[in-house]
Amino acid sequence: MNCLCRLHRSSDIKALIRMCGRYRLSQCHVNITKELSPFGINTNQTANVSTLQKRQKVTANQASVFQKQHVFREATSDAVTTDPNFEIERIFHYVQRELKAGRLTGKDFSSIIEAIQKARYRELYSVPWLYSHSPDVTLMQIVLNKEVKAFLGPVRDHMTMQEFLRELTLRSCEIPHEDCLSLLLHLKYLGMEKNEVVSKLLDRIQTRIGQMDIESLATLAAGLRSVNDVDEEILKKMMSRIQELLDEGFEKVDEQLVRNMCLFHISQTPWLSSQLSSRVLFSVVDMLQKLPNVSNSDILGDLLRYAKRLFLMHSMPKKTIFQLVDYVICQLPDHIDRLDSGDIASCCRCLKSVHRFDGAIATELQKRSMELFESSSATIEIRDIVQVCQSFTAHTPHRVKTRIYPLLLSKMNDADVYALSSLAEIFLYAEIDDKNVMMAFQKQSLLLFDNLATFKSRFLKVLRLLVRREAENETIRTELVEKLIQLQGDEVLFRRALMYSSTLIILSNLRDDLPEKFVRNLQANISWLHPEQICSIMIRIKNQPFVKQNPNLVLQLHLSLQKQLSEKLETVREFDMINRVIQGLYLDSSTKDMTPLQVLMPHFGQVTKYLTSTQVSPLLDTLEQVLYYDPQVSENLEMYFLDYGWKISPSIASRILDWFVVVGYNPKNIEAFSGVCCEMMDTALRKNDVHVQVSLALNLCRYQIYPEVHLCQMFTLDYLHMFDKMREGAKKSLESSMMLLNRHLVLDCPHLDIPWFHEDFYVQYESHYNRYPRRLESMVKGTVGGREYYNTKVYTPYHHCLDFEVLLDSSGQPMRHSSPEDGEDREYQRVAILWYGKDSYPLNSYTLGHDKTSKQRHLEILGYKVIPVPYYEWQSMGDNREYLPRKIQK
């Protein structure tokens, strides 16, 4: 014990730090006074010593040793920095004494800086929102909340610290090479990355990079993450060295080696080429194959953070990343009981990012998280609540989520920028939408609005939540709109990447008035928006209550948006972009305004000139939903069909023909079109897909293309037996399509002698009746002279359904249906009156589909005179009572 009072040298200092970091002091140390320690460690508080553990984790019991303070902004930071009982003052006292005595050597500097950094962070961990599981996260939070000056300034600006740094700068050449990296790292944690000594350290480190091992490279990479304008020469040497190490290979593969590889790559991802990144990743995966079991749970967390970072890089092989994640998932169950709340939260967050947070592993992590929550709920802080919520998903029982709500409400005022952005992600992922919790979140977001707005990625997370959770409190709504409009007008602070999300929030929370300043801001930044974003804004504007109150301003804004959209589309040559714009502007709109389609579809025709196999299916999806006929798009589809018919699948071919039939498109080259269709029919019959075979054959018949050999094959006994087996578990539409095909062949190809099989099916089959206007029936009744002169919903032979049937004698006069005046032998003409509503046509065309024209052709074959009544003629004729008589007589 007496030897502790004589610790002066660097080796002694390091020994004490290691001892305090790995072991708790035994009870016999309690009587050692603070004067006996050169760092003034208060041994009467064993909890303070125990917090010097390697990962600096502070439990709730340890945190209670420190004076509880609500640290936020100016008032709270004063309390943290002025309390004389904190350990940092005693360290400075020791440093000042050693400086005056001239006893410091080059080996002491790194140990002293490390002790100062750890002591300062221990003091700060009493702040309720500051995470203690990683100094990197701690530093990030301090920066995010703009508390660098308040939290680290008192240490950096301390007179003793300034004197120590001057001595360190003058004698930087005396620092041992092995201490330079750790000194660089701890200076970074103290916010001194711009200090002159950092440049000198980097100059010295640069000369040693060629001899560094992977652990040293990982430490250097971590130290460079916060350094601005890193020397390219250092980066080149680091890249060269890691390549050398990979080329040489590693004699012994252990957990620490894998961990260092991951930490190096995490820190170096902004600078590594995609090729080198892939090589490092493959090396890590190969190393893990030699480690069937992991003893240290820390490495599992590092591997998940590594996978998360790489997953965000589009150039990285996702299959290999998933191998890495699956390895961790297999190992985690054996380590869950040893994980603390910070570890659990980190695992959950990373697994969500790589889309692997489900199943048994999600259940186990959530169970462990709730166990830790129950054991420490009495002393829980906002940082702990956020960590617990990280384990929540949309499937987490509501009763589990509601247990957290009271704590969230009571601690939300302690949330910082990092906690708010994390909660925003959690609320969306776990579908947490409690009104009171959301209101508290919105209030705290407004309180920290300026800090949030400074950091784009964090602010975007909050904005995404606010876009989907409209503020219900009028005061919050008004203040939120005012702050966002003010931010949009700030040329210095505002990030253009925030324009879209902030605009959607403003539009969602506006009521009767549309602020002119907002319109000016939006018009000034429209050029930075993507076409699909402009579409979403246009849709959002149409549905707002302020449209009627501000028609001129809304029209002005709408014209500006439409003009910018047209200009942007002129330069767009990407199919996916135009397709997304159409989806967003029309399909996702409740108003279904056709004006945007008139602007977009000509561009669609341009980008589909050279279709690829991957574009055809999305194109057909959009066309089938929009039902807008553009001749150029259909011609492009025909060209694709003719050029690549030899490799198009029958199912895609059937869908292309479906589209042509619906819009009534007539191929430009009918001969070539018929040849490809017959080849496609031959291919379809060789495959065991009855749905495609029947659909393809039916569409060919609608085009009056009859590959007779193939059609006859579909009505052989063997095929019909197979069809009966296939239709047992199929939808009724399959049997309906087969019936329609049978009808086509009986009426269009009587020479094939194919019998009519579907009379019994018709008895059970309910046809779709047209919903014609009531006034049409009144007009029919007035035209023919009464109800007894016409029938409605009449079924013809082969089961065509007629809206109205009228019988005309040889002189063209209507006849009674019940009993013709001159007996059964009198000649008469059957007249079929068919109503064609809007759903019978494409959105922008008056061309009937081929399924409708086929019906008319069949009725004429059966001896009917067909009188179509299109909706557009009906709407334009007004009260013209001569419309039907003229059509009948014609």
Side-chain angles (χ1 to χ4, degrees), residues 156 161-162 164-173 175 183-184 187-188 191-205 227:
R156 295 184 307 184
M161 188 65 175
Q162 291 294 317
F164 177 75
L165 288 175
R166 284 193 293 270
E167 184 75 10
L168 175 59
T169 305
L170 290 172
R171 300 171 56 187
S172 59
C173 59
I175 301 172
L183 180 57
L184 177 69
L187 286 171
K188 162 193 165 181
M192 298 181 185
E193 64 276 2
K194 295 181 181 180
N195 194 278
E196 181 184 356
V197 72
V198 172
S199 300
K200 293 193 174 188
L201 288 173
L202 288 175
D203 290 339
R204 293 194 57 198
I205 290 170
V227 177

Side-chain angles (χ1 to χ4, degrees), residues 1-14:
M1 281 177 49
N2 293 334
C3 66
L4 289 174
C5 65
R6 293 190 294 274
L7 291 175
H8 292 304
R9 300 279 60 83
S10 173
S11 58
D12 300 327
I13 297 169
K14 287 186 176 180

Side-chain angles (χ1 to χ4, degrees), residues 21 311 385 490 634 842:
F311 190 80
I385 299 172
D490 191 330
S634 295

